[in-house]
């Protein structure tokens, strides 16, 4: 639940979220908080279809009227510019004694965001549907199995592993560079050559981001606006010179 809220309220702080067994209920905080963030925001959600606390298909539970999981994730898919209908993949039933299986729902063709290295990265929107799973953490052998109210636990996937791999694929986005940014980057990269300023952590970070913009501009389908063509030639001249600096 709170990861959804943090993503909406602090999209500049979090690169991606991966909620497990939790969604927002209807009319959360009186409807004052939007359902989705103001930017393209990667999400991985894991949820059991037999969740006894937060029902997969929505409805009343524990004095709350929960939204259906696939409705919530579908709203994020729409916000991320993904396809309306997800690709459904039945994952291998590795442990046939856990009384559950997992389907991976992948919303394809999502919009992209620009990362700090200048790469266009799709805003992944994934849903792991644990068929027969309850309100627990798949792959957990320690805590959840000790609570008989939330069995069975699925062992075909490890929620922790899937989440860590997902987070490894995403970083905080950088804004689309404007013409002014390109001009400043060109001046900065030129200064790196002409006066060989001391490369502390701050200047190195700026240089890296500027070079990232350059790489992004050269990629097909770049998010960089064509208006920047006015100054981009000067930027590339400076960047090529700066590349020769050891």
């Amino acid at each position: 639940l709170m990861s959804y809220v943090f993503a909406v309220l602090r999209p500049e702080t979090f690169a991606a979220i991966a909620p497990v067994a939790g969604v927002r209920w209807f009319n959360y905080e009186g409807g004052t908080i939007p359902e989705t963030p103001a930017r393209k925001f990667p999400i991985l959600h894991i949820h059991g279809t037999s969740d006894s606390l937060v029902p997969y298909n929505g409805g009343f539970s524990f004095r709350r009227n929960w939204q259906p999981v696939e409705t919530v994730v579908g709203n994020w898919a729409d916000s991320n510019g993904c396809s309306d209908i997800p690709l459904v993949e039945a994952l291998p039933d590795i442990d046939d004694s856990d009384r559950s299986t997992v389907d991976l729902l992948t919303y394809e063709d999502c919009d992209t965001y620009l990362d700090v290295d200048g790469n266009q990265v799709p805003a992944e929107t994934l849903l792991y549907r644990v068929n027969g799973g309850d309100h627990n953490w798949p792959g957990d052998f320690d805590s959840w199995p000790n609570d008989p109210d939330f069995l069975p636990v699925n062992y075909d996937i490890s929620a922790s592993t899937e989440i860590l791999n997902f987070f490894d694929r995403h970083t905080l986005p950088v804004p689309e560079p404007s013409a002014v940014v390109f001009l400043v980057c060109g001046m900065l990269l030129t200064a790196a050559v002409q006066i060989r300023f001391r490369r502390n952590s701050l200047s190195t970070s700026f240089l890296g981001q500027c070079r990232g913009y350059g790489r992004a501009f050269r990629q097909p389908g770049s998010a960089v606006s064509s208006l920047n063509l006015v100054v981009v030639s000067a930027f590339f001249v400076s960047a090529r010179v700066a590349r020769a600096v050891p």
Side-chain angles (χ1 to χ4, degrees):
L1 164 63
M2 294 312 300
S3 59
Y4 279 104
V5 176
F6 289 151
V8 171
L9 296 181
R10 295 290 183 270
E12 75 285 355
T13 302
F14 300 96
I17 60 170
V20 178
V23 294
R24 289 170 56 171
W25 53 81
F26 283 106
N27 202 34
Y28 179 82
E29 292 296 317
T32 58
I33 300 177
E35 290 289 330
T36 56
R39 69 168 176 86
K40 308 306 176 185
F41 205 108
I43 180 175
L44 179 157
H45 187 110
I46 302 174
H47 212 111
T49 59
S50 298
D51 194 312
S52 55
L53 180 60
V54 183
Y56 186 87
N57 293 318
F60 284 92
S61 174
F62 287 83
R63 301 192 301 269
R64 304 292 186 189
N65 185 14
W66 303 94
Q67 299 185 66
V69 172
E70 292 188 24
T71 297
V72 173
V73 179
N75 288 339
W76 279 61
D78 182 64
S79 177
N80 284 337
C82 310
S83 57
D84 294 332
I85 302 175
L87 174 68
V88 181
E89 176 189 2
L91 300 184
D93 187 11
I94 297 173
D95 188 337
D96 57 9
S97 67
D98 61 8
R99 296 176 288 150
S100 59
T101 59
V102 181
D103 292 332
L104 173 58
L105 282 65
T106 302
Y107 292 83
E108 301 179 293
D109 303 321
C110 301
D111 290 343
T112 61
Y113 66 88
L114 186 67
D115 73 4
V116 293
D117 293 320
N119 300 310
Q120 298 290 338
V121 182
E124 282 187 289
T125 304
L126 307 174
L127 170 59
Y128 285 80
R129 181 174 61 200
V130 184
N131 304 304
D134 206 317
H135 189 77
N136 52 47
W137 192 275
D140 187 345
F141 285 91
D142 298 321
S143 57
W144 286 107
N146 295 326
D147 190 335
D149 292 334
F150 296 134
L151 295 178
V153 177
N154 178 270
Y155 294 110
D156 299 324
I157 63 171
S158 165
S160 300
T161 299
E162 299 300 328
I163 291 171
L164 288 174
N165 290 338
F166 177 71
F167 284 162
D168 279 343
R169 298 195 294 270
H170 296 285
T171 64
L172 282 170
V174 295
E176 177 183 340
S178 65
V180 174
V181 169
F182 268 105
L183 183 59
V184 171
C185 281
M187 295 170 62
L188 178 61
L189 289 168
T190 301
V193 176
Q194 293 180 345
I195 64 177
R196 295 178 180 272
F197 62 86
R198 180 171 174 266
R199 294 202 175 184
N200 54 32
S201 59
L202 182 61
S203 64
T204 301
S205 173
F206 281 139
L207 285 171
Q209 185 160 318
C210 286
R211 292 192 177 103
Y213 286 149
R215 287 192 295 273
F217 187 87
R218 295 194 295 272
Q219 292 181 4
S222 170
V224 180
S225 170
S226 60
L227 293 177
N228 294 322
L229 286 171
V230 177
V231 295
V232 73
S233 57
F235 165 73
F236 281 127
V237 169
S238 300
R240 286 184 179 280
V241 173
R243 191 177 301 153
V245 179

PDB file of all heavy atoms in Angstrom, residues 13-47:
ATOM      1  N   THR A  13      12.059  10.687  -5.849  1.00  0.00           N
ATOM      2  CA  THR A  13      12.889  10.010  -4.853  1.00  0.00           C
ATOM      3  C   THR A  13      13.051   8.528  -5.144  1.00  0.00           C
ATOM      4  O   THR A  13      14.117   7.958  -4.907  1.00  0.00           O
ATOM      5  CB  THR A  13      12.273  10.182  -3.447  1.00  0.00           C
ATOM      6  OG1 THR A  13      12.157  11.582  -3.160  1.00  0.00           O
ATOM      7  CG2 THR A  13      13.135   9.514  -2.381  1.00  0.00           C
ATOM      8  N   PHE A  14      12.007   7.895  -5.680  1.00  0.00           N
ATOM      9  CA  PHE A  14      12.012   6.454  -5.890  1.00  0.00           C
ATOM     10  C   PHE A  14      12.053   6.131  -7.379  1.00  0.00           C
ATOM     11  O   PHE A  14      11.302   6.698  -8.173  1.00  0.00           O
ATOM     12  CB  PHE A  14      10.771   5.823  -5.249  1.00  0.00           C
ATOM     13  CG  PHE A  14      10.673   6.060  -3.768  1.00  0.00           C
ATOM     14  CD1 PHE A  14       9.900   7.103  -3.263  1.00  0.00           C
ATOM     15  CD2 PHE A  14      11.376   5.267  -2.876  1.00  0.00           C
ATOM     16  CE1 PHE A  14       9.811   7.333  -1.904  1.00  0.00           C
ATOM     17  CE2 PHE A  14      11.303   5.497  -1.511  1.00  0.00           C
ATOM     18  CZ  PHE A  14      10.528   6.526  -1.016  1.00  0.00           C
ATOM     19  N   ALA A  15      12.939   5.184  -7.741  1.00  0.00           N
ATOM     20  CA  ALA A  15      13.090   4.816  -9.147  1.00  0.00           C
ATOM     21  C   ALA A  15      12.014   3.845  -9.606  1.00  0.00           C
ATOM     22  O   ALA A  15      11.573   3.883 -10.761  1.00  0.00           O
ATOM     23  CB  ALA A  15      14.465   4.195  -9.379  1.00  0.00           C
ATOM     24  N   ALA A  16      11.571   2.957  -8.722  1.00  0.00           N
ATOM     25  CA  ALA A  16      10.578   1.941  -9.057  1.00  0.00           C
ATOM     26  C   ALA A  16       9.993   1.411  -7.758  1.00  0.00           C
ATOM     27  O   ALA A  16      10.557   1.621  -6.682  1.00  0.00           O
ATOM     28  CB  ALA A  16      11.203   0.810  -9.862  1.00  0.00           C
ATOM     29  N   ILE A  17       8.859   0.701  -7.859  1.00  0.00           N
ATOM     30  CA  ILE A  17       8.283   0.083  -6.675  1.00  0.00           C
ATOM     31  C   ILE A  17       7.941  -1.371  -6.984  1.00  0.00           C
ATOM     32  O   ILE A  17       7.765  -1.754  -8.147  1.00  0.00           O
ATOM     33  CB  ILE A  17       7.015   0.811  -6.175  1.00  0.00           C
ATOM     34  CG1 ILE A  17       5.918   0.814  -7.246  1.00  0.00           C
ATOM     35  CG2 ILE A  17       7.346   2.215  -5.712  1.00  0.00           C
ATOM     36  CD1 ILE A  17       4.567   1.305  -6.738  1.00  0.00           C
ATOM     37  N   ALA A  18       7.840  -2.183  -5.915  1.00  0.00           N
ATOM     38  CA  ALA A  18       7.496  -3.600  -6.061  1.00  0.00           C
ATOM     39  C   ALA A  18       6.615  -4.025  -4.888  1.00  0.00           C
ATOM     40  O   ALA A  18       7.073  -4.695  -3.958  1.00  0.00           O
ATOM     41  CB  ALA A  18       8.753  -4.456  -6.138  1.00  0.00           C
ATOM     42  N   PRO A  19       5.334  -3.665  -4.907  1.00  0.00           N
ATOM     43  CA  PRO A  19       4.431  -4.030  -3.806  1.00  0.00           C
ATOM     44  C   PRO A  19       4.173  -5.538  -3.780  1.00  0.00           C
ATOM     45  O   PRO A  19       4.103  -6.192  -4.829  1.00  0.00           O
ATOM     46  CB  PRO A  19       3.141  -3.269  -4.129  1.00  0.00           C
ATOM     47  CG  PRO A  19       3.497  -2.307  -5.220  1.00  0.00           C
ATOM     48  CD  PRO A  19       4.654  -2.877  -5.937  1.00  0.00           C
ATOM     49  N   VAL A  20       4.031  -6.083  -2.593  1.00  0.00           N
ATOM     50  CA  VAL A  20       3.675  -7.492  -2.409  1.00  0.00           C
ATOM     51  C   VAL A  20       2.424  -7.549  -1.534  1.00  0.00           C
ATOM     52  O   VAL A  20       2.425  -7.060  -0.404  1.00  0.00           O
ATOM     53  CB  VAL A  20       4.820  -8.289  -1.752  1.00  0.00           C
ATOM     54  CG1 VAL A  20       4.398  -9.744  -1.521  1.00  0.00           C
ATOM     55  CG2 VAL A  20       6.074  -8.239  -2.616  1.00  0.00           C
ATOM     56  N   ALA A  21       1.353  -8.130  -2.071  1.00  0.00           N
ATOM     57  CA  ALA A  21       0.116  -8.376  -1.318  1.00  0.00           C
ATOM     58  C   ALA A  21      -0.509  -7.109  -0.737  1.00  0.00           C
ATOM     59  O   ALA A  21      -1.047  -7.126   0.362  1.00  0.00           O
ATOM     60  CB  ALA A  21       0.368  -9.388  -0.202  1.00  0.00           C
ATOM     61  N   GLY A  22      -0.422  -6.011  -1.477  1.00  0.00           N
ATOM     62  CA  GLY A  22      -1.025  -4.778  -0.980  1.00  0.00           C
ATOM     63  C   GLY A  22      -1.393  -3.825  -2.102  1.00  0.00           C
ATOM     64  O   GLY A  22      -0.616  -3.656  -3.046  1.00  0.00           O
ATOM     65  N   VAL A  23      -2.582  -3.235  -2.034  1.00  0.00           N
ATOM     66  CA  VAL A  23      -3.013  -2.194  -2.973  1.00  0.00           C
ATOM     67  C   VAL A  23      -3.704  -1.096  -2.165  1.00  0.00           C
ATOM     68  O   VAL A  23      -3.914  -1.238  -0.954  1.00  0.00           O
ATOM     69  CB  VAL A  23      -3.999  -2.733  -4.039  1.00  0.00           C
ATOM     70  CG1 VAL A  23      -3.334  -3.725  -4.950  1.00  0.00           C
ATOM     71  CG2 VAL A  23      -5.227  -3.349  -3.372  1.00  0.00           C
ATOM     72  N   ARG A  24      -4.057  -0.027  -2.837  1.00  0.00           N
ATOM     73  CA  ARG A  24      -4.832   1.020  -2.180  1.00  0.00           C
ATOM     74  C   ARG A  24      -6.305   0.665  -2.199  1.00  0.00           C
ATOM     75  O   ARG A  24      -6.796   0.050  -3.147  1.00  0.00           O
ATOM     76  CB  ARG A  24      -4.612   2.349  -2.906  1.00  0.00           C
ATOM     77  CG  ARG A  24      -3.238   2.932  -2.689  1.00  0.00           C
ATOM     78  CD  ARG A  24      -2.964   4.101  -3.611  1.00  0.00           C
ATOM     79  NE  ARG A  24      -3.962   5.161  -3.505  1.00  0.00           N
ATOM     80  CZ  ARG A  24      -3.838   6.346  -4.089  1.00  0.00           C
ATOM     81  NH1 ARG A  24      -2.770   6.628  -4.799  1.00  0.00           N
ATOM     82  NH2 ARG A  24      -4.772   7.252  -3.966  1.00  0.00           N
ATOM     83  N   TRP A  25      -7.006   1.037  -1.139  1.00  0.00           N
ATOM     84  CA  TRP A  25      -8.444   0.828  -1.142  1.00  0.00           C
ATOM     85  C   TRP A  25      -9.128   2.000  -1.834  1.00  0.00           C
ATOM     86  O   TRP A  25      -8.520   3.048  -2.096  1.00  0.00           O
ATOM     87  CB  TRP A  25      -8.967   0.653   0.281  1.00  0.00           C
ATOM     88  CG  TRP A  25      -8.586   1.740   1.255  1.00  0.00           C
ATOM     89  CD1 TRP A  25      -9.174   2.959   1.409  1.00  0.00           C
ATOM     90  CD2 TRP A  25      -7.521   1.692   2.212  1.00  0.00           C
ATOM     91  NE1 TRP A  25      -8.550   3.675   2.403  1.00  0.00           N
ATOM     92  CE2 TRP A  25      -7.535   2.915   2.919  1.00  0.00           C
ATOM     93  CE3 TRP A  25      -6.565   0.726   2.557  1.00  0.00           C
ATOM     94  CZ2 TRP A  25      -6.627   3.208   3.933  1.00  0.00           C
ATOM     95  CZ3 TRP A  25      -5.662   1.011   3.561  1.00  0.00           C
ATOM     96  CH2 TRP A  25      -5.697   2.250   4.250  1.00  0.00           C
ATOM     97  N   PHE A  26     -10.383   1.822  -2.150  1.00  0.00           N
ATOM     98  CA  PHE A  26     -11.144   2.882  -2.811  1.00  0.00           C
ATOM     99  C   PHE A  26     -11.225   4.119  -1.906  1.00  0.00           C
ATOM    100  O   PHE A  26     -11.307   4.010  -0.688  1.00  0.00           O
ATOM    101  CB  PHE A  26     -12.567   2.394  -3.134  1.00  0.00           C
ATOM    102  CG  PHE A  26     -12.647   1.482  -4.326  1.00  0.00           C
ATOM    103  CD1 PHE A  26     -12.862   0.119  -4.155  1.00  0.00           C
ATOM    104  CD2 PHE A  26     -12.502   1.974  -5.610  1.00  0.00           C
ATOM    105  CE1 PHE A  26     -12.937  -0.732  -5.250  1.00  0.00           C
ATOM    106  CE2 PHE A  26     -12.582   1.147  -6.713  1.00  0.00           C
ATOM    107  CZ  PHE A  26     -12.798  -0.215  -6.532  1.00  0.00           C
ATOM    108  N   ASN A  27     -11.166   5.291  -2.553  1.00  0.00           N
ATOM    109  CA  ASN A  27     -11.295   6.568  -1.843  1.00  0.00           C
ATOM    110  C   ASN A  27     -10.230   6.723  -0.760  1.00  0.00           C
ATOM    111  O   ASN A  27     -10.503   7.258   0.322  1.00  0.00           O
ATOM    112  CB  ASN A  27     -12.689   6.707  -1.234  1.00  0.00           C
ATOM    113  CG  ASN A  27     -13.061   8.155  -0.964  1.00  0.00           C
ATOM    114  OD1 ASN A  27     -12.677   9.054  -1.713  1.00  0.00           O
ATOM    115  ND2 ASN A  27     -13.792   8.395   0.122  1.00  0.00           N
ATOM    116  N   TYR A  28      -9.032   6.272  -1.071  1.00  0.00           N
ATOM    117  CA  TYR A  28      -7.929   6.400  -0.116  1.00  0.00           C
ATOM    118  C   TYR A  28      -7.662   7.875   0.179  1.00  0.00           C
ATOM    119  O   TYR A  28      -7.554   8.684  -0.735  1.00  0.00           O
ATOM    120  CB  TYR A  28      -6.675   5.726  -0.691  1.00  0.00           C
ATOM    121  CG  TYR A  28      -5.474   5.819   0.203  1.00  0.00           C
ATOM    122  CD1 TYR A  28      -5.300   4.935   1.262  1.00  0.00           C
ATOM    123  CD2 TYR A  28      -4.507   6.810   0.007  1.00  0.00           C
ATOM    124  CE1 TYR A  28      -4.189   5.020   2.097  1.00  0.00           C
ATOM    125  CE2 TYR A  28      -3.403   6.905   0.828  1.00  0.00           C
ATOM    126  CZ  TYR A  28      -3.256   6.005   1.879  1.00  0.00           C
ATOM    127  OH  TYR A  28      -2.159   6.106   2.707  1.00  0.00           O
ATOM    128  N   GLU A  29      -7.582   8.210   1.449  1.00  0.00           N
ATOM    129  CA  GLU A  29      -7.365   9.595   1.892  1.00  0.00           C
ATOM    130  C   GLU A  29      -8.372  10.548   1.254  1.00  0.00           C
ATOM    131  O   GLU A  29      -8.035  11.679   0.872  1.00  0.00           O
ATOM    132  CB  GLU A  29      -5.934  10.042   1.581  1.00  0.00           C
ATOM    133  CG  GLU A  29      -4.862   9.336   2.392  1.00  0.00           C
ATOM    134  CD  GLU A  29      -4.971   9.633   3.894  1.00  0.00           C
ATOM    135  OE1 GLU A  29      -5.191  10.800   4.248  1.00  0.00           O
ATOM    136  OE2 GLU A  29      -4.855   8.675   4.694  1.00  0.00           O
ATOM    137  N   GLY A  30      -9.606  10.062   1.126  1.00  0.00           N
ATOM    138  CA  GLY A  30     -10.654  10.913   0.574  1.00  0.00           C
ATOM    139  C   GLY A  30     -10.480  11.248  -0.894  1.00  0.00           C
ATOM    140  O   GLY A  30     -11.083  12.207  -1.398  1.00  0.00           O
ATOM    141  N   GLY A  31      -9.653  10.455  -1.592  1.00  0.00           N
ATOM    142  CA  GLY A  31      -9.442  10.694  -3.011  1.00  0.00           C
ATOM    143  C   GLY A  31      -8.541  11.870  -3.310  1.00  0.00           C
ATOM    144  O   GLY A  31      -8.499  12.353  -4.447  1.00  0.00           O
ATOM    145  N   THR A  32      -7.800  12.338  -2.308  1.00  0.00           N
ATOM    146  CA  THR A  32      -6.941  13.516  -2.494  1.00  0.00           C
ATOM    147  C   THR A  32      -5.589  13.173  -3.124  1.00  0.00           C
ATOM    148  O   THR A  32      -4.868  14.072  -3.556  1.00  0.00           O
ATOM    149  CB  THR A  32      -6.695  14.214  -1.143  1.00  0.00           C
ATOM    150  OG1 THR A  32      -6.082  13.274  -0.228  1.00  0.00           O
ATOM    151  CG2 THR A  32      -8.016  14.703  -0.552  1.00  0.00           C
ATOM    152  N   ILE A  33      -5.229  11.889  -3.147  1.00  0.00           N
ATOM    153  CA  ILE A  33      -3.943  11.467  -3.707  1.00  0.00           C
ATOM    154  C   ILE A  33      -4.196  10.759  -5.031  1.00  0.00           C
ATOM    155  O   ILE A  33      -4.983   9.808  -5.092  1.00  0.00           O
ATOM    156  CB  ILE A  33      -3.199  10.519  -2.738  1.00  0.00           C
ATOM    157  CG1 ILE A  33      -2.929  11.239  -1.413  1.00  0.00           C
ATOM    158  CG2 ILE A  33      -1.888  10.045  -3.354  1.00  0.00           C
ATOM    159  CD1 ILE A  33      -2.262  10.368  -0.367  1.00  0.00           C
ATOM    160  N   PRO A  34      -3.573  11.192  -6.124  1.00  0.00           N
ATOM    161  CA  PRO A  34      -3.804  10.562  -7.429  1.00  0.00           C
ATOM    162  C   PRO A  34      -3.487   9.066  -7.404  1.00  0.00           C
ATOM    163  O   PRO A  34      -2.721   8.589  -6.562  1.00  0.00           O
ATOM    164  CB  PRO A  34      -2.843  11.319  -8.356  1.00  0.00           C
ATOM    165  CG  PRO A  34      -2.604  12.628  -7.669  1.00  0.00           C
ATOM    166  CD  PRO A  34      -2.644  12.329  -6.200  1.00  0.00           C
ATOM    167  N   GLU A  35      -4.070   8.343  -8.345  1.00  0.00           N
ATOM    168  CA  GLU A  35      -3.875   6.897  -8.421  1.00  0.00           C
ATOM    169  C   GLU A  35      -2.495   6.533  -8.947  1.00  0.00           C
ATOM    170  O   GLU A  35      -1.934   5.499  -8.579  1.00  0.00           O
ATOM    171  CB  GLU A  35      -4.947   6.267  -9.320  1.00  0.00           C
ATOM    172  CG  GLU A  35      -6.343   6.289  -8.732  1.00  0.00           C
ATOM    173  CD  GLU A  35      -6.501   5.324  -7.567  1.00  0.00           C
ATOM    174  OE1 GLU A  35      -5.820   4.295  -7.544  1.00  0.00           O
ATOM    175  OE2 GLU A  35      -7.310   5.621  -6.671  1.00  0.00           O
ATOM    176  N   THR A  36      -1.943   7.343  -9.833  1.00  0.00           N
ATOM    177  CA  THR A  36      -0.655   7.040 -10.468  1.00  0.00           C
ATOM    178  C   THR A  36       0.261   8.261 -10.422  1.00  0.00           C
ATOM    179  O   THR A  36      -0.213   9.393 -10.287  1.00  0.00           O
ATOM    180  CB  THR A  36      -0.857   6.605 -11.931  1.00  0.00           C
ATOM    181  OG1 THR A  36      -1.577   7.630 -12.637  1.00  0.00           O
ATOM    182  CG2 THR A  36      -1.646   5.301 -12.004  1.00  0.00           C
ATOM    183  N   PRO A  37       1.578   8.046 -10.551  1.00  0.00           N
ATOM    184  CA  PRO A  37       2.523   9.170 -10.507  1.00  0.00           C
ATOM    185  C   PRO A  37       2.423  10.058 -11.736  1.00  0.00           C
ATOM    186  O   PRO A  37       1.787   9.706 -12.736  1.00  0.00           O
ATOM    187  CB  PRO A  37       3.894   8.468 -10.445  1.00  0.00           C
ATOM    188  CG  PRO A  37       3.612   7.053 -10.083  1.00  0.00           C
ATOM    189  CD  PRO A  37       2.259   6.746 -10.634  1.00  0.00           C
ATOM    190  N   ALA A  38       3.094  11.183 -11.656  1.00  0.00           N
ATOM    191  CA  ALA A  38       3.072  12.149 -12.757  1.00  0.00           C
ATOM    192  C   ALA A  38       4.101  11.806 -13.832  1.00  0.00           C
ATOM    193  O   ALA A  38       4.202  12.531 -14.822  1.00  0.00           O
ATOM    194  CB  ALA A  38       3.340  13.552 -12.212  1.00  0.00           C
ATOM    195  N   ARG A  39       4.860  10.749 -13.662  1.00  0.00           N
ATOM    196  CA  ARG A  39       5.849  10.335 -14.666  1.00  0.00           C
ATOM    197  C   ARG A  39       5.714   8.846 -14.940  1.00  0.00           C
ATOM    198  O   ARG A  39       4.960   8.133 -14.269  1.00  0.00           O
ATOM    199  CB  ARG A  39       7.276  10.636 -14.174  1.00  0.00           C
ATOM    200  CG  ARG A  39       7.731   9.775 -12.993  1.00  0.00           C
ATOM    201  CD  ARG A  39       9.222   9.932 -12.770  1.00  0.00           C
ATOM    202  NE  ARG A  39       9.734   9.225 -11.609  1.00  0.00           N
ATOM    203  CZ  ARG A  39      10.121   7.950 -11.601  1.00  0.00           C
ATOM    204  NH1 ARG A  39      10.006   7.223 -12.705  1.00  0.00           N
ATOM    205  NH2 ARG A  39      10.594   7.397 -10.501  1.00  0.00           N
ATOM    206  N   LYS A  40       6.448   8.385 -15.959  1.00  0.00           N
ATOM    207  CA  LYS A  40       6.500   6.956 -16.241  1.00  0.00           C
ATOM    208  C   LYS A  40       7.232   6.270 -15.099  1.00  0.00           C
ATOM    209  O   LYS A  40       8.362   6.646 -14.777  1.00  0.00           O
ATOM    210  CB  LYS A  40       7.193   6.690 -17.575  1.00  0.00           C
ATOM    211  CG  LYS A  40       6.625   7.496 -18.742  1.00  0.00           C
ATOM    212  CD  LYS A  40       5.122   7.311 -18.899  1.00  0.00           C
ATOM    213  CE  LYS A  40       4.550   8.190 -19.999  1.00  0.00           C
ATOM    214  NZ  LYS A  40       3.079   8.105 -20.075  1.00  0.00           N
ATOM    215  N   PHE A  41       6.599   5.268 -14.504  1.00  0.00           N
ATOM    216  CA  PHE A  41       7.113   4.728 -13.239  1.00  0.00           C
ATOM    217  C   PHE A  41       7.062   3.200 -13.264  1.00  0.00           C
ATOM    218  O   PHE A  41       5.979   2.611 -13.241  1.00  0.00           O
ATOM    219  CB  PHE A  41       6.270   5.253 -12.075  1.00  0.00           C
ATOM    220  CG  PHE A  41       6.983   5.292 -10.769  1.00  0.00           C
ATOM    221  CD1 PHE A  41       7.366   6.494 -10.194  1.00  0.00           C
ATOM    222  CD2 PHE A  41       7.292   4.117 -10.094  1.00  0.00           C
ATOM    223  CE1 PHE A  41       8.027   6.532  -8.982  1.00  0.00           C
ATOM    224  CE2 PHE A  41       7.957   4.134  -8.889  1.00  0.00           C
ATOM    225  CZ  PHE A  41       8.327   5.348  -8.320  1.00  0.00           C
ATOM    226  N   PRO A  42       8.214   2.512 -13.309  1.00  0.00           N
ATOM    227  CA  PRO A  42       8.229   1.049 -13.334  1.00  0.00           C
ATOM    228  C   PRO A  42       7.600   0.451 -12.074  1.00  0.00           C
ATOM    229  O   PRO A  42       7.789   0.969 -10.969  1.00  0.00           O
ATOM    230  CB  PRO A  42       9.729   0.716 -13.405  1.00  0.00           C
ATOM    231  CG  PRO A  42      10.374   1.951 -13.961  1.00  0.00           C
ATOM    232  CD  PRO A  42       9.574   3.093 -13.419  1.00  0.00           C
ATOM    233  N   ILE A  43       6.884  -0.664 -12.259  1.00  0.00           N
ATOM    234  CA  ILE A  43       6.238  -1.326 -11.133  1.00  0.00           C
ATOM    235  C   ILE A  43       6.243  -2.835 -11.337  1.00  0.00           C
ATOM    236  O   ILE A  43       6.043  -3.328 -12.453  1.00  0.00           O
ATOM    237  CB  ILE A  43       4.787  -0.822 -10.935  1.00  0.00           C
ATOM    238  CG1 ILE A  43       4.128  -1.521  -9.745  1.00  0.00           C
ATOM    239  CG2 ILE A  43       3.971  -1.009 -12.198  1.00  0.00           C
ATOM    240  CD1 ILE A  43       2.739  -0.984  -9.404  1.00  0.00           C
ATOM    241  N   LEU A  44       6.500  -3.550 -10.261  1.00  0.00           N
ATOM    242  CA  LEU A  44       6.346  -5.005 -10.205  1.00  0.00           C
ATOM    243  C   LEU A  44       5.452  -5.296  -9.013  1.00  0.00           C
ATOM    244  O   LEU A  44       5.761  -4.879  -7.897  1.00  0.00           O
ATOM    245  CB  LEU A  44       7.712  -5.691 -10.052  1.00  0.00           C
ATOM    246  CG  LEU A  44       7.758  -7.221  -9.941  1.00  0.00           C
ATOM    247  CD1 LEU A  44       9.138  -7.720 -10.372  1.00  0.00           C
ATOM    248  CD2 LEU A  44       7.476  -7.701  -8.511  1.00  0.00           C
ATOM    249  N   HIS A  45       4.350  -5.987  -9.255  1.00  0.00           N
ATOM    250  CA  HIS A  45       3.401  -6.291  -8.176  1.00  0.00           C
ATOM    251  C   HIS A  45       3.273  -7.809  -8.053  1.00  0.00           C
ATOM    252  O   HIS A  45       3.164  -8.520  -9.057  1.00  0.00           O
ATOM    253  CB  HIS A  45       2.031  -5.677  -8.466  1.00  0.00           C
ATOM    254  CG  HIS A  45       1.061  -5.795  -7.325  1.00  0.00           C
ATOM    255  ND1 HIS A  45       0.649  -4.710  -6.587  1.00  0.00           N
ATOM    256  CD2 HIS A  45       0.424  -6.864  -6.790  1.00  0.00           C
ATOM    257  CE1 HIS A  45      -0.201  -5.106  -5.649  1.00  0.00           C
ATOM    258  NE2 HIS A  45      -0.348  -6.428  -5.750  1.00  0.00           N
ATOM    259  N   ILE A  46       3.268  -8.314  -6.815  1.00  0.00           N
ATOM    260  CA  ILE A  46       3.094  -9.738  -6.532  1.00  0.00           C
ATOM    261  C   ILE A  46       1.887  -9.895  -5.621  1.00  0.00           C
ATOM    262  O   ILE A  46       1.800  -9.216  -4.588  1.00  0.00           O
ATOM    263  CB  ILE A  46       4.351 -10.334  -5.865  1.00  0.00           C
ATOM    264  CG1 ILE A  46       5.581 -10.140  -6.764  1.00  0.00           C
ATOM    265  CG2 ILE A  46       4.149 -11.812  -5.547  1.00  0.00           C
ATOM    266  CD1 ILE A  46       6.892 -10.582  -6.121  1.00  0.00           C
ATOM    267  N   HIS A  47       0.970 -10.808  -6.005  1.00  0.00           N
ATOM    268  CA  HIS A  47      -0.262 -10.925  -5.214  1.00  0.00           C
ATOM    269  C   HIS A  47      -0.879 -12.302  -5.401  1.00  0.00           C
ATOM    270  O   HIS A  47      -0.929 -12.836  -6.512  1.00  0.00           O
ATOM    271  CB  HIS A  47      -1.273  -9.864  -5.649  1.00  0.00           C
ATOM    272  CG  HIS A  47      -2.149  -9.372  -4.551  1.00  0.00           C
ATOM    273  ND1 HIS A  47      -2.074  -8.092  -4.042  1.00  0.00           N
ATOM    274  CD2 HIS A  47      -3.133  -9.985  -3.831  1.00  0.00           C
ATOM    275  CE1 HIS A  47      -2.969  -7.935  -3.085  1.00  0.00           C
ATOM    276  NE2 HIS A  47      -3.634  -9.084  -2.933  1.00  0.00           N
TER     277      HIS A  47
END
